[in-house]
Amino acid sequence: MNLGITILFLLITILNLHHYSECANILAVFPLPDRSDNYLYQRLLKGLADQGHLITSISAHEFDLGIRNGSVRDVILSGFADKLDRQLKEVNYEAFQVESWFDNQSYLNSILEIYNKTLWHRNVRGFIKSNNKKFDAIIIDYYWSESLLIFSKIFNCPIIAFSNFGLTDPYVNSIAGNPLPSSYIRHPFLNTANSYTALSFLERTYNFLNYLFDSVFNSIYLIPLHNELIRTAYKKRFKNNPPDVTTLQGKISLVLLNSHPSIRQATPLVPNAMEIAGFHIDPPEQLPEDLQDFLDGAKSGAVYFSLGLNVRTRNIPEWKKQVFMNVFKRLNLRVLWKYDGEELIDSSPKVMLKRWVPQRDVLDHPNLKLFISNGGYNSLLEIAHFGVPSLMIPIFPENYKSALQAQDNGYALTLPYNSNNFSEKVLYALAKEMLDNPKYREAARIQSQLFRDRPVEPLDEAIYWIEYVIRTNGAAHLKVLGATLPFYKFYMLDVILCLISILILSLISICVCVKRLCRRRSKLKIKQN
């Protein structure tokens, strides 16, 4: 018995040593300072470090998750997070509308400014100059971030693209060569309900034009702009001849998608695109004592209310905060409100206000009956995982898509923050409907079952494929040729146009011939007469 245990221990030790001997040097570039997204990045890097890999992270935030193995070295983009915090303090939520997603050019400009500053940042420049490591792979947050692909050229390693929005982002699908037929795959701008029904002719037309606009906009504006950012920042390094962005895009080995087929319309997937949604969700832990007691004591049920990390309660108008409080009083349930503003004068003993809440642990509590959220994408994934019905109050433009997806799946209702119908009466009626009608909880239960039912945990799958790319030196055999084709070739528009042209020319030729033949006949008749 003891001999068997000893042999088993030795085998485990040998396997661990073997695994650690194959540890890789991985560079991660995640410059966007959003705190919610940053947790996703860090959770992925923690998973890699726990496997013994050596991580270098270029990020706006310092890595602050504990690791069991490996290491994480920070290259901090100082100033990025502080600037975002200042901006969030001044945000006017009343100004956001769903239509403003692309109307506001300043949003795109602010993203591009972050990437440009990343290329020029003194800490990044110092890191490139002093680094003597060979990296085995680079992971890049792919969100209009083509200029960041230059790091793969600098360090000569395979590229792994990470997309926070997964298959809902058409730009990411194009770099993987993933087919998105506009005949039935809805573009993110097509914010309509019933996303599982066939598109009408007008919807298909609008859908196609949106995808076409993406391609044209990418080709004539974004790509040249990113090329200019690279050329300006690194012209000396590449002797005024840096590689073109489209060439670098063709070297992307793997695309990690933060999505799952159970929460959206079924979509085709190429071999090097992997869906890993839910990888950031750890097993629930014990709640802090005050929260545990508060929720345990909610014998009739509890409601959790949070509008996300980027929404400051102090920026919400007083009348609207009072609407929320009045509704919570009428529900006769305990309510946990993530609240960072001043104390409400007209509060209630049944409402607990907390500046920070361990959201995933709260969503797992058996007494929780309803989650009132802003429809943030990470919250959508956690709702799908834990199976909690949600009343969604979308604020930012990207929240609307998540809210409509959840509503289509039957476990959510939606009341836009800036809706003309926003009132105590409407909010209370929607909350009561979701609490009293069991169909929402049943739909949430089914959603959770679908979301969790997988052959392997999503974080383990992500780690496996990252290591696979490293082992196979880029996994070139998984790439499809379509990833390097322009839009008109990918969708055979040139062939279709050619065939239509041939058909039109043929018809014209036939018409001309018939016309000439008729004229000849007519002349013959005249001569005969």
Side-chain angles (χ1 to χ4, degrees), residues 317-527:
E318 291 301 322
W319 72 267
K320 208 162 246 184
K321 284 188 277 192
Q322 197 59 56
V323 164
F324 288 125
M325 182 57 72
N326 292 343
V327 169
F328 297 156
K329 287 180 181 178
R330 293 174 63 187
L331 289 178
N332 276 331
L333 299 173
R334 290 193 175 186
V335 178
L336 174 60
W337 184 350
K338 182 182 172 295
Y339 186 93
D340 62 1
E342 299 298 327
E343 190 75 20
L344 279 174
I345 298 174
D346 189 18
S347 188
S348 166
K350 290 187 176 181
V351 179
M352 175 182 278
L353 307 178
K354 297 289 288 185
R355 285 184 175 274
W356 177 82
V357 175
Q359 179 164 295
R360 287 172 290 278
D361 302 331
V362 168
L363 292 177
D364 188 58
H365 197 282
N367 288 344
L368 192 69
K369 304 298 183 187
L370 180 65
F371 177 23
I372 303 177
S373 75
N374 71 333
Y377 191 65
N378 289 347
S379 291
L380 173 69
L381 298 178
E382 289 161 11
I383 289 165
H385 179 87
F386 290 106
V388 179
S390 180
L391 173 53
M392 296 190 173
I393 304 176
I395 298 177
F396 302 115
E398 63 268 24
N399 297 154
Y400 286 84
K401 188 70 177 177
S402 299
L404 288 172
Q405 283 179 332
Q407 184 168 290
D408 283 349
N409 286 326
Y411 54 87
L413 290 177
T414 300
L415 177 62
Y417 179 87
N418 287 322
S419 169
N420 293 329
N421 295 326
F422 192 97
S423 65
E424 179 181 333
K425 178 181 178 181
V426 174
L427 183 62
Y428 176 76
L430 291 175
K432 283 293 287 179
E433 164 66 14
M434 297 203 70
L435 289 166
D436 295 343
N437 193 331
K439 73 175 184 179
Y440 299 102
R441 178 157 290 277
E442 177 61 15
R445 184 193 65 78
I446 294 172
Q447 173 63 72
S448 177
Q449 189 177 37
L450 294 173
F451 190 78
R452 293 186 187 219
D453 192 356
R454 314 187 200 191
V456 64
E457 291 297 320
L459 181 59
D460 294 335
E461 184 174 8
I463 292 169
Y464 171 82
W465 286 111
I466 292 170
E467 293 177 337
Y468 184 85
V469 166
I470 294 170
R471 286 197 303 272
T472 57
N473 195 28
H477 59 289
L478 294 182
K479 299 180 188 177
V480 297
L481 188 60
T484 60
L485 294 177
F487 181 87
Y488 71 91
K489 285 186 179 180
F490 189 89
Y491 289 103
M492 301 284 284
L493 297 183
D494 54 342
V495 174
I496 293 171
L497 183 61
C498 179
L499 292 175
I500 291 174
S501 300
I502 292 172
L503 179 62
I504 291 173
L505 289 173
S506 300
L507 290 173
I508 291 173
S509 300
I510 291 171
C511 288
V512 169
C513 290
V514 169
K515 192 173 181 180
R516 286 181 177 177
L517 186 61
C518 289
R519 282 181 179 176
R520 284 183 181 180
R521 283 189 172 184
S522 135
K523 287 180 179 178
L524 285 172
K525 282 184 179 180
I526 292 172
K527 285 182 179 180

Side-chain angles (χ1 to χ4, degrees), residues 180-187 190-208 211 265 401:
L180 287 179
S182 56
S183 56
Y184 70 95
I185 302 296
R186 293 169 184 259
H187 190 278
L190 197 66
N191 281 320
T192 58
N194 302 318
S195 61
Y196 295 99
T197 59
L199 296 174
S200 67
F201 174 78
L202 288 178
E203 286 175 329
R204 281 186 289 118
T205 303
Y206 180 68
N207 212 40
F208 173 77
Y211 281 116
Q265 184 183 9
K401 188 70 177 177

Side-chain angles (χ1 to χ4, degrees), residues 81-242:
D82 293 338
K83 181 177 180 180
L84 178 63
D85 286 340
R86 290 194 300 270
Q87 290 173 337
L88 290 175
K89 289 177 182 177
E90 301 169 359
V91 169
N92 176 17
Y93 306 130
E94 312 299 313
F96 284 105
Q97 297 291 337
V98 65
E99 292 84 4
S100 67
W101 170 246
F102 222 115
D103 294 342
N104 192 353
Q105 182 72 25
S106 64
Y107 177 76
L108 175 60
N109 290 341
S110 66
I111 298 293
L112 296 175
E113 181 187 5
I114 289 173
Y115 299 141
N116 186 41
K117 287 185 175 180
T118 299
L119 299 177
W120 284 96
H121 201 283
R122 63 182 183 276
N123 292 346
V124 174
R125 297 254 170 171
F127 161 68
I128 293 173
K129 188 175 181 180
S130 63
N131 178 71
N132 54 10
K133 286 183 180 179
K134 181 188 181 304
F135 288 103
D136 300 292
I138 176 172
I139 306 174
I140 292 176
D141 179 20
Y142 208 87
Y143 187 61
W144 289 331
S145 56
E146 284 82 356
S147 52
L148 301 184
L149 297 174
I150 193 61
F151 290 113
S152 71
K153 181 66 176 178
I154 293 173
F155 296 108
N156 191 28
C157 58
I159 308 167
I160 297 166
F162 171 79
S163 170
N164 185 22
F165 293 105
L167 279 174
T168 61
D169 186 347
Y171 288 101
V172 172
N173 281 277
S174 65
I175 63 164
N178 207 52
L180 287 179
S182 56
S183 56
Y184 70 95
I185 302 296
R186 293 169 184 259
H187 190 278
F189 294 172
L190 197 66
N191 281 320
T192 58
N194 302 318
S195 61
Y196 295 99
T197 59
L199 296 174
S200 67
F201 174 78
L202 288 178
E203 286 175 329
R204 281 186 289 118
T205 303
Y206 180 68
N207 212 40
F208 173 77
L209 291 176
N210 272 311
Y211 281 116
L212 182 62
F213 172 79
D214 284 344
S215 180
V216 173
F217 181 77
N218 195 46
S219 299
I220 69 173
Y221 181 76
L222 272 184
I223 295 297
L225 183 57
H226 281 290
N227 278 328
E228 181 61 21
L229 294 181
I230 293 172
R231 191 194 66 78
T232 305
Y234 293 110
K235 58 183 177 182
K236 288 184 179 179
R237 185 179 187 92
F238 295 102
K239 298 178 182 179
N240 243 359
N241 188 31

Side-chain angles (χ1 to χ4, degrees), residues 27 310 463:
L27 176 64
N310 290 332
I463 292 169

